[in-house]
Amino acid sequence: GKLPLGDELKKKLLEHFDFQKFSSLSLPQLATIIIKNNRGEFYNFLREEFRIDNFSPKYKYLDQIIISNIFTLNIDDLVEKIFSQENMLNTLYDVSIYGAIDNAGIDFYKLHGSITYPPDKELLFTSEELSTLFAREHSKFSAMALKIASKPTLFWGTRMEDANVLSLLSESTIGGFEAREKWVVVIPDSSEDVTAEYFQTLGFNIIRAYTST
């Protein structure tokens, strides 16, 4: 199966919170209202929906890609479970836990938070929340940009409209350094062909795939 995204996730939220009167709102707008009224239940819902119990064995091939960083806006625990399998070549280091250090494994950046973090840790769900985070921790994200410039990186769960994430790649941010190899996962729907072409223009290698469980 596929993790609920976009309209599917919005439909589930409308049903779970009995918020049908807000059906005309966008997903970020709906999330803003739910967070304001019932943050705890919203987070519990997300943790249940985005917990991965089973996943395709094909994901193990990620271990063969030469990457030093993984950046994601996804909050699920798929990547952690992929690299927790036996006989993996690489070790995953979540920088929110281990710190932003260079190590022999893969540094893992979860920009929206994670269902694996303690309950008091925020799960960023709207563009406004992420924008606030970038403004508050500008130096942290500048350091991330330099990591991209110097190490091969996989972007997973990044959309074309995520201007804050794309700013990590701007020449002004990385000080003129030419970024190393970078990959981005784009779903294989024909509606996303333009997105794939856009990222390719930015110098990305494109991986067309769903995040399947």
Side-chain angles (χ1 to χ4, degrees):
K2 292 178 290 185
L3 293 172
L5 299 172
D7 289 342
E8 183 182 354
L9 178 57
K10 174 183 167 180
K11 181 180 178 181
K12 288 192 171 193
L13 287 169
L14 289 170
E15 292 175 353
H16 183 83
F17 290 95
D18 194 19
F19 273 8
Q20 299 299 334
K21 65 180 180 180
F22 297 117
S23 61
S24 62
L25 297 181
S26 67
L27 177 58
Q29 290 171 330
L30 176 62
T32 298
I33 291 178
I34 296 174
I35 289 170
K36 185 175 180 64
N37 290 278
N38 202 336
R39 180 184 294 268
E41 177 60 23
F42 179 60
Y43 283 3
N44 288 337
F45 172 86
L46 294 178
R47 289 187 175 92
E48 185 64 29
E49 286 292 324
F50 289 93
R51 185 181 67 246
I52 305 299
D53 295 316
N54 301 287
F55 54 89
S56 170
K58 293 179 180 179
Y59 280 117
K60 199 164 187 177
Y61 288 116
L62 283 173
D63 199 34
Q64 299 178 20
I65 301 177
I66 301 175
I67 51 176
S68 299
N69 309 302
I70 296 178
F71 285 84
T72 185
L73 300 184
N74 296 341
I75 61 173
D76 61 71
D77 57 355
L78 176 60
V79 175
E80 294 95 317
K81 288 186 174 176
I82 291 171
F83 284 94
S84 66
Q85 297 177 93
E86 294 183 357
N87 302 317
M88 298 294 280
L89 299 174
N90 292 291
T91 301
L92 196 70
Y93 292 88
D94 189 324
V95 298
S96 293
I97 299 172
Y98 296 97
I101 58 173
D102 288 317
N103 54 68
I106 297 172
D107 287 332
F108 188 35
Y109 296 82
K110 303 195 80 169
L111 303 191
H112 273 179
S114 176
I115 63 168
T116 63
Y117 296 165
D120 61 323
K121 291 276 191 178
E122 284 188 320
L123 295 173
L124 304 183
F125 198 77
T126 68
S127 56
E128 290 78 12
E129 288 177 315
L130 192 58
S131 295
T132 300
L133 177 65
F134 269 77
R136 188 174 66 235
E137 302 186 22
H138 179 73
S139 60
K140 173 182 175 180
F141 290 104
S142 294
M144 285 187 186
L146 293 177
K147 288 271 292 179
I148 297 170
S150 61
K151 303 284 185 179
T153 300
L154 170 65
F155 287 79
W156 199 338
T158 302
R159 300 172 297 273
M160 187 165 61
E161 62 267 28
D162 294 317
N164 283 318
V165 177
L166 294 178
S167 72
L168 290 172
L169 310 172
S170 68
E171 291 185 4
S172 61
T173 305
I174 63 177
F177 288 103
E178 181 178 354
R180 290 289 303 276
E181 298 86 352
K182 49 188 182 289
W183 292 261
V184 63
V185 178
V186 179
I187 62 174
D189 289 351
S190 59
S191 61
E192 293 296 324
D193 288 349
V194 173
T195 302
E197 186 174 344
Y198 177 74
F199 279 124
Q200 198 164 25
T201 301
L202 292 178
F204 281 89
N205 298 293
I206 310 299
I207 300 173
R208 300 301 295 265
Y210 291 109
T211 300
S212 300
T213 59

